[in-house]
Amino acid sequence: MDKKVFTTPILKQNPITVLVLGICSALAVTVKLEPAIVMAISVTLVTGLSSFLISLIRKTIPNRIRIIVQLVVVAMFVILIEQILKAYVYDVSKQLSVYVGLIITNCIIMGRIEAFGLTEKPLPSLVDGLANGLGYGLILIVVAFFRELIGSGTLFGAQIIPQSWYAANGGAYLNNGLFIMPPMALILIGCLIWIQRSIQKEDK
Amino acid sequence: MNTNKNSYTVIYTIVLVAIVATILALVSMGLKQKQQTNIEVEKQLSILSSANLAKDAKSASDKNSYVQGEFAKYITEALVVNAKGEVVESYTEDIVKSNAFKISIADEYAKMRDIDAAKDEATKESILSQLRLPVFVCNTPEGAQYYILSAYGAGLWGPIWAYIAVKQNATSLAGAIFDHSSETPGLGGEIVTEKFRNQFVNKVILENGEVSEIRVVKDGADDPLHEVDAISGATITSTSVQKMLTQWTNYYKPYLMNISKGSKAPEQTIEVKDFEQDPQVIEL
């Protein structure tokens, strides 16, 4: 199997910065680092497993209802993950609240199944799905890092910016409220796309 | 094989859905007990945290048994009170299995909404008489006694709820804890943070026999007894918190009045302690 199956989706063909898929959840769960990481893991598992399963049964799927079949499979994995999170890491499942369920609607998953899982063998499909999830997660974590640090002055909920810097305690620093808002996530993703595009241009 | 035949498609769909449904049903059944325990422990922890207890829950190696142990230790009584302030049911043992613990505050909130929507006094009265409010009596290790009340209301995207620990004087809070089902993480979701909930310590909920509203203000709270800071970027969730607390305090008011009148005789020493504490707070 070609190594590129794994590496391309993470950088060169990143689902968020290049394919511009899955933006909605990237805006929603990146206010804090912790939910962003759990979301990244969940999406990685779902993309990988559903691509794998679809690829396994790809020859039996009637073409006319293939989207419905994909949806059922994806929904099954999402519900499984939600149930398991609720039973074993209840706190995290609460933090992610509705967004776990909304993984079903993440375009990356259906996109990868359509573009890869339906035509390729199971193992490459699994790798492709996992890699796309990781590519998505990477951007999520980078965005969440800046949003949490600048918007709330914390990382993983722990205070990073010293309390004495704050205007309330005599310093000159204020948390930037804009970073908590969804528009800033979009601007940050825009910046990431900008950086990536300019680097890739040089490569050529 | 021709996978495009109608009969094939229909059979394929039925088989696929049946398999998926079976898997999901089995997993759901298998995990139900664990999830139920998680939900119960979550509630116990909320109740304890409102009185600033069970602080080691996060670092405890077995969180569930730690919380259950602390709950059994400090929550000594659970009551069900009606809108007149009378104690309808009282439990001192197996509190987690008691009616007081099982009361769905969401259902009680639905009744409150029915009361607000009722057109005539008679319907209003009849719903009001069905209202059942849970109260948990908590004896802290320091010897203080708190009454822990519940609250439930509408946030921005879904329900929000709270447990507030009222001091024995029945007028001010010892602490509060908030939770939500689907507020935005980082915005409305911040009501769960210590920073937000710690502001409610010593806030006054009853003043001269009237409900005193705890105002959640945007431009910086300066009244140490009545105002708390709102969460930036989450105006609707913040105002919802204020509305919810006021609404539920109103329904709890008769019971709180009964406590302060001394229907449950307060211990002298603690009363004195409270008086000593309060002036200091005002100075702050």
Side-chain angles (χ1 to χ4, degrees):
Chain A
M1 190 171 52
D2 202 345
K3 244 192 219 159
K4 274 189 182 150
V5 175
F6 185 72
T7 50
T8 321
I10 294 182
L11 290 170
K12 223 173 186 173
Q13 287 285 327
N14 188 289
I16 294 189
T17 54
V18 179
L19 308 179
V20 199
L21 292 174
I23 296 293
C24 353
S25 57
L27 304 188
V29 298
T30 51
V31 178
K32 290 270 156 81
L33 209 43
E34 200 185 339
I37 288 176
V38 178
M39 187 71 174
I41 296 171
S42 310
V43 170
T44 306
L45 283 177
V46 174
T47 42
L49 292 175
S50 53
S51 270
F52 176 73
L53 188 61
I54 289 287
S55 166
L56 214 56
I57 58 170
R58 69 186 186 282
K59 283 180 185 144
T60 67
I61 300 173
N63 195 38
R64 277 179 297 174
I65 57 159
R66 68 174 198 283
I67 301 278
I68 300 173
V69 172
Q70 292 163 14
L71 206 59
V72 170
V73 168
V74 174
M76 178 185 78
F77 280 116
V78 171
I79 296 171
L80 282 180
I81 288 200
E82 196 175 11
Q83 295 280 336
I84 291 168
L85 286 181
K86 263 191 194 152
Y88 294 98
V89 272
Y90 188 69
D91 296 337
V92 176
S93 85
K94 273 193 59 198
Q95 260 187 354
L96 286 171
S97 61
V98 293
Y99 295 111
V100 177
L102 287 178
I103 294 177
I104 298 172
T105 61
N106 194 319
C107 339
I108 298 171
I109 301 167
M110 295 285 275
R112 285 332 289 173
I113 294 174
E114 273 283 298
F116 204 98
L118 269 180
T119 49
E120 304 289 328
K121 288 206 177 94
L123 217 54
S125 299
L126 174 70
V127 173
D128 175 75
L130 291 176
N132 271 283
L134 289 174
Y136 165 86
L138 180 72
I139 302 296
L140 230 62
I141 290 165
V142 171
V143 174
F145 174 83
F146 287 109
R147 286 185 77 188
E148 184 170 353
L149 184 64
I150 305 176
S152 318
T154 58
L155 284 179
F156 292 107
Q159 192 72 35
I160 295 293
I161 312 274
Q163 287 289 357
S164 56
W165 288 15
Y166 282 97
N169 303 328
Y173 185 80
L174 270 181
N175 284 331
N176 190 332
L178 182 60
F179 273 76
I180 301 180
M181 311 285 191
M184 199 60 212
L186 199 58
I187 295 171
L188 279 174
I189 290 174
C191 293
L192 288 176
I193 293 178
W194 181 12
I195 294 169
Q196 183 170 9
R197 290 273 158 100
S198 45
I199 293 173
Q200 276 181 5
K201 210 189 249 166
E202 283 164 20
D203 284 353
K204 283 171 197 164
Chain B
M1 187 168 41
N2 179 9
T3 55
N4 282 324
K5 266 198 329 207
N6 279 351
S7 53
Y8 179 83
T9 309
V10 171
I11 294 169
Y12 191 88
T13 326
I14 293 172
V15 171
L16 179 78
V17 170
I19 292 173
V20 170
T22 318
I23 294 175
L24 289 182
L26 286 176
V27 170
S28 166
M29 271 159 57
L31 296 177
K32 193 155 193 192
Q33 189 59 44
K34 256 196 147 67
Q35 292 172 350
Q36 197 56 41
T37 318
N38 280 337
I39 293 168
E40 273 175 17
V41 166
E42 171 79 18
K43 187 170 177 179
Q44 294 176 32
L45 181 60
S46 298
I47 291 170
L48 287 170
S49 308
S50 73
N52 301 316
L53 294 169
K55 283 189 172 142
D56 302 329
K58 264 211 171 129
S59 53
S61 57
D62 184 355
K63 186 182 154 194
N64 285 10
S65 54
Y66 168 79
V67 172
Q68 283 159 343
E70 296 284 290
F71 190 83
K73 215 190 300 176
Y74 298 121
I75 306 296
T76 48
E77 201 179 359
L79 311 167
V80 179
V81 301
N82 62 17
K84 286 187 196 128
E86 298 155 351
V87 175
V88 189
E89 292 167 55
S90 155
Y91 302 90
T92 48
E93 267 167 45
D94 266 344
I95 288 173
V96 181
K97 292 195 180 71
S98 72
N99 280 338
F101 192 82
K102 281 188 185 144
I103 287 181
S104 155
I105 50 177
D107 292 349
E108 301 306 310
Y109 176 68
K111 287 182 199 164
M112 291 178 190
R113 291 183 57 163
D114 289 343
I115 293 172
D116 293 337
K119 289 199 178 70
D120 54 291
E121 284 300 313
T123 2
K124 224 177 229 184
E125 283 300 316
S126 83
I127 308 173
L128 194 62
S129 65
Q130 289 164 21
L131 207 61
R132 292 289 176 272
L133 305 167
V135 175
F136 299 94
V137 182
C138 168
N139 282 302
T140 67
E142 290 85 34
Q145 193 170 50
Y146 298 145
Y147 300 93
I148 296 167
L149 317 180
S150 313
Y152 187 95
L156 175 59
W157 304 115
I160 54 173
W161 57 94
Y163 293 94
I164 57 173
V166 182
K167 287 185 192 162
Q168 199 161 20
N169 57 17
T171 54
S172 60
L173 299 185
I177 188 162
F178 299 91
D179 212 340
H180 62 95
S181 71
S182 44
E183 300 305 293
T184 323
L187 296 171
E190 294 288 290
I191 56 172
V192 304
T193 55
E194 295 231 336
K195 192 182 159 210
F196 182 71
R197 66 188 190 88
N198 282 346
Q199 298 185 89
F200 286 83
V201 176
N202 291 320
K203 293 292 174 292
V204 176
I205 53 163
L206 272 188
E207 214 165 22
N208 307 323
E210 290 301 321
V211 172
S212 139
E213 188 162 50
I214 300 174
R215 292 184 294 275
V216 181
V217 294
K218 260 177 147 180
D219 44 0
D222 13 73
D223 185 338
L225 293 180
H226 303 101
E227 288 184 348
V228 296
D229 281 323
I231 293 156
S232 47
T235 312
I236 296 181
T237 312
S238 304
T239 25
S240 308
V241 167
Q242 173 177 342
K243 255 197 239 157
M244 164 180 82
L245 288 182
T246 312
Q247 183 180 23
W248 283 73
T249 316
N250 263 311
Y251 286 105
Y252 272 114
K253 187 181 134 192
Y255 176 71
L256 292 172
M257 299 295 286
N258 283 350
I259 308 176
S260 61
K261 265 186 235 150
S263 64
K264 261 185 157 286
E267 289 162 39
Q268 203 66 41
T269 47
I270 292 157
E271 209 48 84
V272 172
K273 213 171 149 194
D274 271 345
F275 276 122
E276 275 172 1
Q277 269 173 3
D278 285 344
Q280 288 174 350
V281 172
I282 298 165
E283 279 165 29
L284 284 173

